[in-house]
């Protein structure tokens, strides 16, 4: 915290930008997470899109397909400079952010939480409500941008 004697204001010292390789949470609008994944793969950036199998019934025929668990969500493991270079000119790929001191700060997921999330076997086709403590609510970075469509039911 810095105290400004002249204006009598107190402000928080901003945390330094993450250095090195970190996991960034990104949004690929309009369900283009697989297109974003292909773009990141082409650039040589490690990435992760949580996927699960869904069985759909179409005119009496069941079809099993692999789909993203959370649409629009993708994680990229790289430096800030690399992700900015890759995102340049790609309008549908955006940082997931959280509000901090009046600014939108990109969400960085710690390696340990990302490792736990990638290894989680509880991924299912029906995401639970936030209120019942579902699997995805156990990861603090997810709580930074709680989805409005999954409001707790009273």
């Amino acid at each position: 915290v810095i105290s400004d004697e002249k204006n009598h204001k107190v402000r928080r010292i901003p945390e330094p930008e993450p250095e090195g390789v970190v996991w960034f949470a990104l949004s690929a609008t309009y369900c283009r997470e697989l297109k974003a994944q292909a773009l990141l793969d082409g650039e040589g950036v490690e990435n992760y899109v949580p996927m699960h199998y869904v069985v759909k019934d179409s005119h009496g025929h069941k079809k099993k397909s692999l789909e993203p668990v959370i649409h629009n969500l993708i994680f990229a493991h790289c430096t800030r400079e690399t992700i900015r270079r890759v995102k340049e000119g790609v309008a549908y790929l955006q940082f997931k952010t959280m509000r901090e001191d009046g600014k939108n700060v990109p969400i960085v997921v710690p390696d340990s939480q990302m490792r736990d999330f990638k290894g989680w076997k509880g991924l299912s086709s029906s995401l639970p409500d936030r209120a019942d403590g579902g699997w995805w609510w156990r990861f603090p970075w997810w709580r930074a941008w709680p989805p409005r469509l999954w409001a707790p039911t009273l």
Side-chain angles (χ1 to χ4, degrees):
V1 176
I2 297 175
S3 177
D4 185 355
E5 297 297 327
K6 184 177 179 182
N7 296 326
H8 303 288
K9 292 182 180 178
V10 176
R11 63 184 173 91
R12 188 171 156 260
I13 299 172
E15 291 185 27
E17 298 252 332
E19 295 180 16
V21 177
V22 294
W23 284 101
F24 289 99
L26 302 167
S27 174
T29 58
Y30 301 109
C31 298
R32 290 186 275 192
E33 56 277 342
L34 298 179
K35 184 176 179 181
Q37 185 177 36
L39 172 74
L40 292 170
D41 286 342
E43 293 289 330
V45 175
E46 181 184 358
N47 59 75
Y48 177 67
V49 175
M51 304 285 279
H52 67 148
Y53 283 99
V54 177
V55 177
K56 293 183 178 180
D57 189 11
S58 176
H59 305 291
H61 299 288
K62 291 187 178 182
K63 183 178 178 183
K64 187 176 181 180
S65 62
L66 188 63
E67 294 183 0
V69 173
I70 304 166
H71 285 285
N72 304 330
L73 180 65
I74 186 168
F75 298 97
H77 193 226
C78 58
T79 62
R80 184 175 292 271
E81 294 79 30
T82 302
I83 197 63
R84 283 193 176 146
R85 179 181 48 79
V86 171
K87 280 176 30 66
E88 194 173 286
V90 182
Y92 63 85
L93 190 59
Q94 304 160 357
F95 285 113
K96 286 284 191 182
T97 60
M98 63 180 160
R99 211 65 181 150
E100 188 176 292
D101 295 332
K103 294 182 178 179
N104 289 328
V105 179
I107 294 174
V108 175
V109 182
D111 285 336
S112 61
Q113 290 180 11
M114 197 64 209
R115 193 172 36 256
D116 291 345
F117 184 67
K118 286 172 74 172
W120 191 261
K121 301 298 182 207
L123 298 178
S124 67
S125 59
S126 59
L127 290 177
D129 281 340
R130 202 172 73 190
D132 73 1
W135 65 266
W136 57 275
W137 189 245
R138 297 178 187 166
F139 300 97
W141 47 265
W142 180 259
R143 285 180 259 154
W145 83 94
R148 292 187 187 114
L149 70 130
W150 292 318
T153 54
L154 301 174

